[in-house]
Amino acid sequence: MDWLQVVVLALLQGLTEFLPVSSSAHLILVPALTGWPDQGLAFDVALHFGSLFAVLLYFRRDLLNMTTSWTQSLATRKLNDDARLAWGVIFATIPVGLAGLAFKDEIELYLRSPFYLALGLVGFGLLLGWVDWRFRGSRTVDQMTWKDVLVIGCAQALALFPGTSRAGITITAALVMGMNREAASRFSFLLSIPVILLACLLKTKDLVEAQVPVEWGAMALGVLVSAISAFLCIHYFLVFIKRIGMQPFVVYRIILGIALLVVFY
């Protein structure tokens, strides 16, 4: 890969991993428009590690408090807000983990096409737009119930369908349950940590088994650019989400879905 391809793909991964717009659609569309070769499994792993590092760094204080309280809850069996949030992230990750193990091969084989990506982008985009317009909740992350966790966790499993967007579907579910935009986004970001970590581990396992040659310079740059863009994305998304809402992302998803159909069909 040349350096321009490395930077563009890393920027896309860092930005779209946490925005409700589907990173997979971008990583398919851009090479098709530019004629770039496939970036390869090793580079995918590097980009995911960059995104993971960014979200860990941004929420480092929250994660420290959550981990401390969660550990204490194992001994005392008493839950404060941080311990409850930590358990919520764990339980909400279970459905997508089970769904991934059960349906990963079928999804890779039958649904990884531009048509299904476009369908997911437009369909779940319209759902996000309607939910953002219809449901104006006020509850915060500290006011989440176990029912909220179950619904959001099950919704996250739908992100396995191409074009859905993990961030988009979890934010949608949280808004339906009455959470405000900032709280819905924050919980979605926290939920990304175990999901990205699992994805990194699975891809690393595949990489080791395939014995793929590694371009260390490209990987290092990819990690750096992905981490920086992801960190800035999280920060500014949380800052502006109260004012801009979800509608601009809905419009963008529809345009991107149409673009996929035009380019490939």
Side-chain angles (χ1 to χ4, degrees):
M1 292 188 296
D2 59 40
W3 297 113
L4 178 61
Q5 182 181 2
V6 170
V7 171
V8 170
L9 292 178
L11 281 172
L12 280 176
Q13 169 65 27
L15 293 174
T16 59
E17 182 68 42
F18 299 109
L19 294 179
V21 294
S22 175
S23 60
S24 58
H26 290 80
L27 295 178
I28 284 181
L29 183 60
V30 170
L33 293 176
T34 60
W36 287 335
D38 183 82
Q39 63 269 21
L41 181 60
F43 192 65
D44 282 345
V45 172
L47 297 187
H48 278 83
F49 269 116
S51 299
L52 178 62
F53 179 76
V55 71
L56 289 174
L57 180 63
Y58 191 89
F59 290 104
R60 60 192 182 280
R61 293 187 180 88
D62 300 71
L63 293 171
L64 178 60
N65 292 335
M66 289 165 61
T67 302
T68 301
S69 296
W70 178 80
T71 303
Q72 292 174 349
S73 74
L74 294 175
T76 64
R77 297 187 180 183
K78 295 180 180 180
L79 300 178
N80 59 16
D81 289 340
D82 287 324
R84 190 178 294 108
L85 181 56
W87 280 112
V89 170
I90 293 171
F91 287 136
T93 304
I94 294 174
V96 69
L98 294 176
L101 291 174
F103 302 112
K104 178 179 181 293
D105 293 338
E106 287 76 9
I107 291 170
E108 292 287 345
L109 182 61
Y110 298 111
L111 298 182
R112 290 296 179 187
S113 72
F115 173 76
Y116 288 113
L117 274 170
L119 184 64
L121 279 166
V122 175
F124 286 103
L126 291 173
L127 177 63
L128 173 62
W130 178 76
V131 167
D132 185 54
W133 170 74
R134 175 66 178 79
F135 294 88
R136 299 300 174 94
S138 59
R139 292 195 296 126
T140 65
V141 169
D142 292 338
Q143 296 172 312
M144 287 180 60
T145 66
W146 296 115
K147 179 180 178 182
D148 299 330
V149 170
L150 175 63
V151 170
I152 297 170
C154 290
Q156 185 173 222
L158 295 175
L160 294 172
F161 187 93
T164 302
S165 168
R166 190 209 59 80
I169 196 63
T170 51
I171 291 173
T172 299
L175 291 174
V176 168
M177 299 308 293
M179 297 174 67
N180 62 46
R181 290 168 176 164
E182 186 178 9
S185 301
R186 180 170 175 244
F187 189 61
S188 174
F189 292 147
L190 291 172
L191 275 182
S192 73
I193 294 172
V195 172
I196 297 175
L197 178 59
L198 290 173
C200 285
L201 294 176
L202 288 174
K203 286 180 178 287
T204 301
K205 175 178 175 291
D206 294 340
L207 181 61
V208 172
E209 291 176 350
Q211 297 183 340
V212 177
V214 174
E215 297 181 58
W216 292 108
M219 287 187 67
L221 180 60
V223 170
L224 179 63
V225 175
S226 175
I228 293 173
S229 60
F231 187 93
L232 294 174
C233 172
I234 295 170
H235 175 72
Y236 286 107
F237 186 80
L238 290 174
V239 168
F240 292 117
I241 194 60
K242 290 180 181 179
R243 287 183 287 173
I244 65 175
M246 299 296 169
Q247 303 309 319
F249 301 106
V250 174
V251 173
Y252 180 77
R253 287 177 65 113
I254 294 172
I255 293 173
L256 183 59
I258 294 172
L260 279 170
L261 295 177
V262 170
V263 169
F264 287 97
Y265 298 102

Coordinates of all heavy atoms in Angstrom, one line a residue, residues 91-97 99 124 127 131 147-177 187-188 191 195:
F91 N -22.9 -7.7 30.2 CA -24.1 -8.4 29.8 C -24.6 -8.0 28.4 O -25.1 -8.9 27.6 CB -25.3 -8.2 30.8 CG -25.0 -8.9 32.1 CD1 -25.3 -8.3 33.3 CD2 -24.6 -10.2 32.1 CE1 -25.1 -8.9 34.5 CE2 -24.3 -10.9 33.3 CZ -24.6 -10.2 34.5
A92 N -24.5 -6.7 28.0 CA -24.9 -6.3 26.7 C -24.0 -6.8 25.6 O -24.4 -6.7 24.4 CB -25.0 -4.8 26.7
T93 N -22.9 -7.3 25.9 CA -21.9 -7.8 24.9 C -22.2 -9.3 24.6 O -21.9 -9.8 23.5 CB -20.5 -7.7 25.4 OG1 -20.2 -6.3 25.7 CG2 -19.5 -8.1 24.3
I94 N -22.9 -10.0 25.5 CA -23.1 -11.4 25.3 C -23.9 -11.7 24.0 O -23.6 -12.6 23.3 CB -23.8 -12.0 26.6 CG1 -22.8 -11.9 27.8 CG2 -24.3 -13.4 26.3 CD1 -23.4 -12.4 29.1
P95 N -25.1 -11.0 23.8 CA -25.8 -11.4 22.6 C -25.0 -11.3 21.3 O -25.1 -12.2 20.4 CB -27.0 -10.4 22.6 CG -27.2 -10.0 24.0 CD -25.8 -10.0 24.6
V96 N -24.3 -10.2 21.1 CA -23.5 -10.1 19.8 C -22.4 -11.1 19.8 O -22.1 -11.6 18.7 CB -23.0 -8.7 19.7 CG1 -21.8 -8.4 20.7 CG2 -22.5 -8.4 18.3
G97 N -21.8 -11.5 20.9 CA -20.8 -12.5 20.9 C -21.4 -13.9 20.5 O -20.8 -14.6 19.6
A99 N -24.2 -14.4 18.8 CA -24.7 -14.3 17.4 C -23.5 -14.3 16.4 O -23.6 -15.0 15.3 CB -25.5 -13.0 17.2
F124 N -31.8 0.8 8.2 CA -31.5 1.1 9.6 C -31.3 2.6 9.8 O -31.4 3.1 10.9 CB -30.4 0.3 10.1 CG -30.7 -1.2 10.4 CD1 -30.3 -2.2 9.5 CD2 -31.4 -1.5 11.5 CE1 -30.7 -3.5 9.7 CE2 -31.8 -2.9 11.7 CZ -31.4 -3.9 10.8
L127 N -34.7 4.0 10.3 CA -35.1 3.7 11.6 C -34.5 4.6 12.7 O -35.2 5.1 13.6 CB -34.8 2.2 11.9 CG -35.1 1.7 13.3 CD1 -36.6 1.8 13.6 CD2 -34.5 0.3 13.6
V131 N -36.6 7.2 15.1 CA -36.5 7.1 16.5 C -36.0 8.4 17.1 O -36.5 8.8 18.2 CB -35.5 5.9 16.9 CG1 -35.1 5.9 18.4 CG2 -36.2 4.6 16.6
K147 N -33.4 -4.0 32.0 CA -34.2 -4.2 30.7 C -33.6 -3.4 29.6 O -33.5 -3.9 28.5 CB -35.6 -3.7 31.0 CG -36.5 -3.8 29.8 CD -37.9 -3.3 30.1 CE -38.8 -3.3 28.8 NZ -40.2 -2.7 29.1
D148 N -33.1 -2.2 29.9 CA -32.4 -1.4 28.9 C -31.2 -2.1 28.4 O -30.9 -2.2 27.2 CB -31.9 0.0 29.5 CG -33.1 0.8 30.0 OD1 -34.2 0.7 29.4 OD2 -32.8 1.6 31.0
V149 N -30.4 -2.7 29.3 CA -29.2 -3.4 28.9 C -29.5 -4.6 28.0 O -28.9 -4.8 27.0 CB -28.5 -4.0 30.2 CG1 -27.3 -4.9 29.8 CG2 -27.9 -2.8 31.0
L150 N -30.6 -5.3 28.3 CA -31.0 -6.5 27.5 C -31.4 -6.1 26.1 O -31.0 -6.7 25.1 CB -32.2 -7.2 28.2 CG -32.8 -8.4 27.4 CD1 -31.7 -9.5 27.2 CD2 -34.0 -8.9 28.1
V151 N -32.2 -5.0 26.0 CA -32.7 -4.5 24.7 C -31.5 -4.0 23.8 O -31.4 -4.4 22.7 CB -33.8 -3.4 24.9 CG1 -34.1 -2.8 23.5 CG2 -35.0 -4.0 25.5
I152 N -30.7 -3.2 24.5 CA -29.5 -2.6 23.7 C -28.6 -3.7 23.3 O -28.1 -3.7 22.2 CB -28.8 -1.6 24.5 CG1 -29.8 -0.4 24.8 CG2 -27.6 -1.1 23.8 CD1 -29.3 0.6 25.8
G153 N -28.4 -4.7 24.2 CA -27.5 -5.8 23.9 C -28.0 -6.7 22.7 O -27.2 -7.0 21.8
C154 N -29.3 -7.0 22.7 CA -29.9 -7.7 21.6 C -29.8 -6.9 20.3 O -29.6 -7.5 19.2 CB -31.3 -8.1 22.0 SG -31.4 -9.4 23.3
A155 N -30.1 -5.6 20.4 CA -30.0 -4.8 19.2 C -28.6 -4.8 18.6 O -28.4 -4.7 17.4 CB -30.5 -3.4 19.6
Q156 N -27.6 -4.8 19.5 CA -26.2 -4.8 19.0 C -25.9 -6.0 18.1 O -25.1 -5.9 17.2 CB -25.2 -4.7 20.2 CG -23.8 -4.6 19.8 CD -22.8 -4.4 20.9 OE1 -21.9 -3.5 20.8 NE2 -23.0 -5.1 22.0
A157 N -26.6 -7.1 18.4 CA -26.4 -8.3 17.6 C -26.8 -8.1 16.1 O -26.3 -8.7 15.2 CB -27.1 -9.5 18.2
L158 N -27.8 -7.1 15.9 CA -28.2 -6.8 14.6 C -27.1 -6.2 13.7 O -27.2 -6.1 12.5 CB -29.4 -5.9 14.6 CG -30.7 -6.5 15.2 CD1 -31.8 -5.4 15.3 CD2 -31.2 -7.7 14.4
A159 N -26.1 -5.6 14.4 CA -25.0 -5.0 13.7 C -24.2 -6.0 12.9 O -23.4 -5.6 12.0 CB -24.0 -4.3 14.7
L160 N -24.4 -7.3 13.1 CA -23.7 -8.3 12.2 C -24.3 -8.2 10.8 O -23.6 -8.6 9.8 CB -24.0 -9.7 12.8 CG -23.3 -9.9 14.1 CD1 -23.7 -11.3 14.7 CD2 -21.8 -9.9 14.0
F161 N -25.5 -7.7 10.6 CA -26.0 -7.5 9.3 C -25.3 -6.3 8.6 O -25.2 -5.2 9.2 CB -27.5 -7.2 9.3 CG -28.2 -7.1 8.0 CD1 -28.8 -8.3 7.4 CD2 -28.2 -6.0 7.2 CE1 -29.4 -8.2 6.2 CE2 -28.7 -5.9 5.9 CZ -29.3 -7.0 5.4
P162 N -24.7 -6.5 7.5 CA -23.9 -5.5 6.8 C -24.6 -4.1 6.7 O -25.8 -4.1 6.3 CB -23.5 -6.1 5.5 CG -23.6 -7.5 5.7 CD -24.7 -7.7 6.7
G163 N -23.9 -3.1 6.9 CA -24.5 -1.7 6.7 C -25.3 -1.2 7.9 O -25.7 0.0 7.9
T164 N -25.5 -2.1 8.9 CA -26.3 -1.6 10.0 C -25.7 -0.5 10.8 O -26.3 0.5 11.2 CB -26.7 -2.8 11.0 OG1 -27.3 -3.8 10.2 CG2 -27.5 -2.4 12.1
S165 N -24.4 -0.7 11.2 CA -23.6 0.1 12.0 C -23.8 -0.2 13.5 O -25.0 -0.1 14.0 CB -23.9 1.6 11.8 OG -23.3 2.4 12.8
R166 N -22.8 -0.7 14.1 CA -22.9 -1.1 15.6 C -23.3 0.1 16.4 O -24.2 0.1 17.3 CB -21.6 -1.7 16.0 CG -21.6 -2.3 17.4 CD -20.3 -2.2 18.1 NE -19.9 -0.9 18.3 CZ -20.4 0.0 19.2 NH1 -21.2 -0.5 20.1 NH2 -19.9 1.2 19.3
A167 N -22.6 1.3 16.1 CA -23.0 2.5 16.9 C -24.4 2.9 16.6 O -25.1 3.3 17.5 CB -22.0 3.6 16.5
G168 N -24.8 2.8 15.3 CA -26.1 3.3 14.9 C -27.2 2.5 15.6 O -28.2 3.1 16.1
I169 N -27.1 1.2 15.6 CA -28.2 0.3 16.2 C -28.3 0.4 17.7 O -29.3 0.3 18.3 CB -28.1 -1.1 15.7 CG1 -29.4 -1.9 15.9 CG2 -26.9 -1.8 16.3 CD1 -30.6 -1.3 15.1
T170 N -27.1 0.5 18.3 CA -27.1 0.6 19.8 C -27.7 2.0 20.3 O -28.4 2.0 21.2 CB -25.7 0.4 20.4 OG1 -24.8 1.2 19.7 CG2 -25.3 -1.1 20.2
I171 N -27.3 3.0 19.6 CA -27.9 4.3 19.9 C -29.4 4.4 19.6 O -30.1 4.9 20.4 CB -27.2 5.5 19.1 CG1 -25.7 5.6 19.5 CG2 -27.9 6.8 19.2 CD1 -24.9 6.6 18.7
T172 N -29.8 3.7 18.5 CA -31.2 3.7 18.2 C -32.0 3.0 19.4 O -33.0 3.5 19.8 CB -31.5 2.9 16.9 OG1 -30.8 3.6 15.8 CG2 -32.9 2.8 16.6
A173 N -31.5 1.8 19.8 CA -32.1 1.1 20.9 C -32.2 1.8 22.2 O -33.2 1.8 22.9 CB -31.4 -0.3 21.1
A174 N -31.1 2.5 22.5 CA -31.0 3.3 23.7 C -32.0 4.5 23.7 O -32.6 4.8 24.7 CB -29.6 3.8 23.9
L175 N -32.1 5.1 22.6 CA -33.1 6.2 22.4 C -34.5 5.7 22.6 O -35.4 6.3 23.3 CB -33.0 6.9 21.1 CG -31.7 7.7 20.9 CD1 -31.6 8.2 19.4 CD2 -31.6 8.9 21.8
V176 N -34.8 4.5 22.0 CA -36.2 3.9 22.2 C -36.5 3.6 23.7 O -37.6 3.8 24.1 CB -36.2 2.6 21.4 CG1 -37.5 1.8 21.8 CG2 -36.2 2.9 19.9
M177 N -35.4 3.3 24.4 CA -35.6 3.0 25.8 C -35.7 4.2 26.7 O -35.8 4.1 27.9 CB -34.5 2.0 26.3 CG -34.4 0.7 25.6 SD -36.0 -0.2 25.6 CE -36.2 -0.6 27.3
F187 N -23.0 5.2 26.2 CA -23.1 3.8 26.4 C -22.7 3.0 25.2 O -22.0 1.9 25.2 CB -24.5 3.4 26.8 CG -24.6 1.9 27.3 CD1 -23.9 1.5 28.4 CD2 -25.4 1.0 26.6 CE1 -24.0 0.2 28.8 CE2 -25.5 -0.3 27.1 CZ -24.8 -0.7 28.2
S188 N -23.0 3.5 24.0 CA -22.6 2.8 22.7 C -21.1 2.8 22.6 O -20.5 1.8 22.2 CB -23.2 3.6 21.5 OG -22.7 3.1 20.3
L191 N -19.7 0.2 25.0 CA -20.0 -1.1 24.4 C -19.0 -1.5 23.3 O -18.8 -2.7 23.1 CB -21.4 -1.2 23.9 CG -22.6 -1.5 24.8 CD1 -23.9 -1.5 24.1 CD2 -22.3 -2.8 25.6
V195 N -16.4 -5.4 22.1 CA -16.6 -5.8 20.7 C -15.4 -5.6 19.8 O -15.0 -6.6 19.1 CB -17.8 -5.0 20.1 CG1 -18.0 -5.4 18.6 CG2 -19.1 -5.4 20.9

